[in-house]
């Protein structure tokens, strides 16, 4: 696996809005440029609660990883399209529950690569690695991941908010199938992506995104998101609005659904 922080790191585009940086802005981070903030604010005029929605999807990731590690015994995680570091990254959540957990992050955004050292930390018992790779090349992802993970043992594949960037549905399903085919029985697939089921304004926000930011993004309905789990057993409650997936008991009855839907499946 190549060291992502080298002179070979691609040049960062300061004048083109990028997914990871816009989400970092919504999440209250500091790793973004004026062009990212401009698009982020323009989308907030259409969906004022977008920053809250971004945080809700982050909470979904944390609940998923904790459940997999603490309750289901998963010790290996492959997080593709991880984005910029924030609080409670996958390895931190997993290793709090299971210090021996091993995590491989995958991304190809130059700014994310420049921050890779912030992710390359680990508990003494576990391992954390970072792979510079593209979702369009699942075989390269698997080759790189195999340097840190034992692909003969169960792995949790995380595809959080990334499949919408593969705008052709058949291609997206093919990529997921190629990734999961290499994983053994007892592995898990966890994902979320945006829909326009709850708020039609999401479609307008995506139009702004696609006109000004990179890479493009497509909305899919929950039935299509369920299609990614072909060959997997969906865990209850299925593919649902992210805040409704295993919510904290104290919040049940007070949760507002959002347009990001997600779920978790187990490979028989």
């Amino acid at each position: 696996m190549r060291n992502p922080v080298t002179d070979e790191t691609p040049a960062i585009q300061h004048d083109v809005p990028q997914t990871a940086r816009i989400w970092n802005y919504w999440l209250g981070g500091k790793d973004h440029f004026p062009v990212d903030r401009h698009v982020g604010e323009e989308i907030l005029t259409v969906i004022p609660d977008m920053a809250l929605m971004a945080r809700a999807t982050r909470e979904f990731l944390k609940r998923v990883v904790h459940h997999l590690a603490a309750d289901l015994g998963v010790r290996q995680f492959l997080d593709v399209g991880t984005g910029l570091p924030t609080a409670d990254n996958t390895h931190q959540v997993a290793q709090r529950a299971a210090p021996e957990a091993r995590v491989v992050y995958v991304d190809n955004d130059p700014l994310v690569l420049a921050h890779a050292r912030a992710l390359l930390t680990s508990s003494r018992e576990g391992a954390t690695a970072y792979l510079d790779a593209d979702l369009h090349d699942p075989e390269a992802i698997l080759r790189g991941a195999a340097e840190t993970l034992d692909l003969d043992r169960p792995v949790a594949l995380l595809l959080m908010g990334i499949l919408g960037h593969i705008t052709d549905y058949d291609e997206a399903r093919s990529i997921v199938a190629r990734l999961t085919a290499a994983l053994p029985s007892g592995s898990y697939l966890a994902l979320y992506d945006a829909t326009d089921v709850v708020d039609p304004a999401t479609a307008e926000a995506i139009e702004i995104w696609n006109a000004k930011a990179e890479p493009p993004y497509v909305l899919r309905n929950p039935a299509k998101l369920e299609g990614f789990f072909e060959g997997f057993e969906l865990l209850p409650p299925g593919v649902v609005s992210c805040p409704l997936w295993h919510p904290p008991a104290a919040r049940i009855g007070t949760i507002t659904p959002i347009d990001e839907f997600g779920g978790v499946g187990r490979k028989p």
Side-chain angles (χ1 to χ4, degrees):
M1 187 180 303
R2 69 175 277 237
N3 180 357
V5 188
T6 68
D7 291 338
E8 298 176 11
T9 300
I12 296 171
Q13 292 182 298
H14 297 77
D15 57 345
V16 179
Q18 297 288 335
T19 297
R21 301 195 309 246
I22 295 170
W23 277 83
N24 182 263
Y25 174 62
W26 287 333
L27 289 167
K30 300 178 181 179
D31 300 307
H32 40 74
F33 300 118
V35 292
D36 307 303
R37 296 191 289 274
H38 178 76
V39 173
E41 285 295 329
E42 190 169 353
I43 290 175
L44 286 172
T45 64
V46 178
I47 305 179
D49 290 335
M50 189 66 216
L52 295 176
M53 292 168 62
R55 295 185 179 97
T57 59
R58 194 71 190 179
E59 291 299 317
F60 171 75
L61 167 67
K62 290 162 55 176
R63 293 197 306 277
V64 166
V65 172
H66 177 80
H67 182 54
L68 289 169
D71 303 326
L72 301 179
V74 177
R75 296 296 180 264
Q76 302 193 108
F77 295 82
L78 179 54
D79 185 348
V80 182
T82 179
L84 285 156
T86 61
D88 285 331
N89 298 289
T90 297
H91 73 283
Q92 294 167 320
V93 176
Q95 291 177 351
R96 276 201 298 267
E100 70 275 24
R102 304 175 74 83
V103 178
V104 172
Y105 293 102
V106 181
D107 210 297
N108 68 341
D109 183 290
L111 187 61
V112 175
L113 299 180
H115 285 75
R117 285 199 181 106
L119 288 172
L120 287 170
T121 59
S122 176
S123 64
R124 187 175 306 171
E125 303 90 338
T128 303
Y130 196 95
L131 178 63
D132 174 9
D134 193 304
L135 184 58
H136 289 89
D137 190 353
E139 287 73 26
I141 290 174
L142 292 166
R143 285 194 303 271
E147 296 181 22
T148 301
L149 307 179
D150 180 354
L151 300 187
D152 291 326
R153 297 174 53 231
V155 174
L157 172 63
L158 311 180
L159 299 170
M160 299 297 186
I162 188 172
L163 289 172
H165 291 303
I166 309 296
T167 56
D168 182 272
Y169 184 56
D170 290 338
E171 181 185 6
R173 288 194 58 169
S174 172
I175 288 170
V176 174
R178 286 150 65 192
L179 286 169
T180 57
L183 306 181
S185 174
S187 293
Y188 290 85
L189 169 63
L191 62 85
Y192 79 79
D193 262 304
T195 75
D196 58 359
V197 172
V198 177
D199 185 357
T202 300
E204 183 179 351
I206 292 299
E207 288 182 9
I208 295 171
W209 182 287
N210 289 338
K212 300 187 177 181
E214 290 185 359
Y217 193 92
V218 64
L219 298 175
R220 295 190 173 105
N221 61 42
K224 286 194 171 182
L225 297 185
E226 287 184 15
F228 291 123
F229 291 96
E230 183 176 6
F232 280 69
E233 299 170 348
L234 266 172
L235 304 186
V239 174
V240 296
S241 180
C242 285
L244 300 178
W245 196 91
H246 290 231
R251 293 196 57 212
I252 294 175
T254 65
I255 295 172
T256 300
I258 64 173
D259 269 323
E260 279 76 8
F261 276 54
V264 178
R266 181 182 185 276
K267 188 172 183 178

